[in-house]
Amino acid sequence: MIAPTPIHAFDVSDAGVASAVRDLNAALPDRGYRWVHLDLSDPGALAWISEQADPVVAEALMRTDTRPRMSEHADGMILMMRGVNLNPNSDPEDMVSLRVWVTDRLVITTRMRRLMAVSEIADRMAEGSGPAAPAELVCALAQGLTVRMEPVLEALVDEIDDLEERSVDRASRLRGELADIRRTTIALRRYLAPQRDILARLSLEDVGPLHHPHVRVTLRETADRIARLVEELDMIRERSSILNDQIVDARAEEMNAAMLLLSIVAAVFLPLGFLTGLLGINVGGLPGAHWPYAFALVCASCLGLAGGLVWWFRHKGWL
């Protein structure tokens, strides 16, 4: 069978010595394991994975839309994990999926976009050293994905802190920025919460090739770190909700103040309009029609009435 072109492929001995693999169809190492990292767009990946595992595993590893989960199958385990997108010109909340098939002697991972955690482990293996067992490789991947999430959440916390400070004077102008933060928080939590659950489960159960005690401890620590990140996201979400309520209240107060001002202006000019309209009708008998000071008297009366109304509104605290 024509093997796909791997992104990374290494044989790792049980002492942690890594060496590059030139032929994916070569026999697996007698002691240690093989790690093969493939791109989903490779046309030969599906058939090759089906030969190494079975069509069910191949279909799972080639699926484009995934969410964090784990499932045991035959002699191995399927893991789906997510990491923040740190590629250039990308949004971190557009999380990248990593699909993993792990057995005692073979680990196959697939991806659509580059993940820094995978690249870091591959760089270490290219230098000749790597995780000594498949379980340790899975731990290293989980840790790498988690570590790179923390700066993204810290940046979100800083942004919400900044918005809370600025909301005192510019509450009505921050709705767009707040919406971006809330959208990012929702997108991150959608994948981090189930990823926390599967790592916690892996750390508590003796499942498949991940039954090593020290691996379970590492997975437990990683699950705790992700749990803290999920709690941070929940806190950001609650703070965003409170800040949104403050912005809505501030906007309502601004509108109420504007409506009050318009109402006062209307209340002042309504009697003046009535008075001038009454004196402007074209019928006989209007008082002062032939008196030269009548217009000045009407103007003075209007000014006096307007001034009295303004004083009254100020006295009531409405103006």
Side-chain angles (χ1 to χ4, degrees):
M1 172 180 291
I2 299 177
T5 302
I7 303 172
H8 308 294
F10 296 95
D11 282 342
V12 186
S13 70
D14 52 8
V17 178
S19 59
V21 176
R22 304 301 178 187
D23 182 10
L24 295 187
N25 291 324
L28 295 175
D30 295 332
R31 300 181 63 182
Y33 67 97
R34 177 173 294 167
W35 174 41
V36 179
H37 186 52
L38 300 174
D39 194 314
L40 289 182
S41 61
D42 193 310
L46 178 61
W48 185 83
I49 297 173
S50 298
E51 287 292 327
Q52 303 302 314
D54 62 45
V56 174
V57 175
E59 182 183 357
L61 295 187
M62 299 300 291
R63 191 170 299 164
T64 56
D65 187 16
T66 65
R67 67 189 304 272
R69 67 180 181 89
M70 61 163 287
S71 60
E72 295 183 77
H73 181 77
D75 60 342
M77 179 182 298
I78 299 172
L79 290 175
M80 305 291 179
M81 296 186 289
R82 289 267 179 163
V84 291
N85 191 351
L86 299 179
N87 294 305
N89 302 319
S90 300
D91 295 326
E93 68 269 19
D94 187 16
M95 301 188 77
V96 182
S97 179
L98 179 66
R99 305 148 185 84
V100 183
W101 165 248
V102 53
T103 68
D104 289 329
R105 299 185 61 199
L106 177 65
V107 178
I108 302 175
T109 57
T110 61
R111 55 86 157 162
M112 295 181 64
R113 288 166 291 179
R114 181 170 177 260
L115 275 166
M116 301 299 179
V118 175
S119 299
E120 180 182 358
I121 295 173
D123 291 342
R124 287 168 47 199
M125 289 190 177
E127 295 174 356
S129 64
E136 294 182 8
L137 175 60
V138 172
C139 284
L141 289 171
Q143 284 181 314
L145 295 176
T146 304
V147 166
R148 284 162 178 79
M149 295 175 189
E150 294 176 344
V152 175
L153 266 68
E154 291 174 359
L156 283 177
V157 173
D158 292 340
E159 287 184 33
I160 198 69
D161 289 340
D162 180 60
L163 286 182
E164 286 177 341
E165 293 178 1
R166 292 160 55 197
S167 66
V168 176
D169 302 319
R170 301 177 53 205
S172 61
R173 305 179 188 179
L174 306 179
R175 301 185 71 179
E177 297 178 47
L178 182 61
D180 290 338
I181 292 177
R182 299 181 76 179
R183 184 165 48 251
T184 300
T185 302
I186 293 171
L188 290 174
R189 197 186 188 286
R190 176 189 176 190
Y191 296 112
L192 287 191
Q195 190 152 313
R196 170 201 59 191
D197 296 338
I198 65 171
L199 290 178
R201 179 182 169 189
L202 286 174
S203 68
L204 296 174
E205 299 180 6
D206 289 329
V207 286
L210 305 182
H211 61 274
H212 302 282
H214 70 280
V215 169
R216 293 174 59 186
V217 172
T218 304
L219 287 173
R220 187 178 302 116
E221 291 299 319
T222 304
D224 288 342
R225 294 180 72 172
I226 293 186
R228 182 178 60 81
L229 296 181
V230 172
E231 291 171 358
E232 289 278 355
L233 287 173
D234 290 338
M235 182 191 68
I236 293 173
R237 184 173 59 180
E238 293 298 326
R239 292 174 63 184
S240 299
S241 178
I242 293 173
L243 185 55
N244 183 68
D245 292 342
Q246 292 176 348
I247 291 175
V248 170
D249 291 344
R251 189 173 181 85
E253 290 179 2
E254 292 176 0
M255 294 183 64
N256 290 338
M259 293 300 297
L260 178 60
L261 181 59
L262 290 176
S263 299
I264 291 174
V265 171
V268 170
F269 282 94
L270 183 63
L272 300 181
F274 173 76
L275 179 61
T276 55
L278 181 64
L279 296 177
I281 58 178
N282 295 320
V283 296
L286 290 177
H290 302 288
W291 185 39
Y293 301 106
F295 179 72
L297 179 61
V298 170
C299 289
S301 300
C302 289
L303 288 175
L305 179 60
L309 290 173
V310 170
W311 174 86
W312 173 256
F313 289 130
R314 285 185 178 277
H315 178 70
K316 289 292 186 179
W318 298 341
L319 185 62

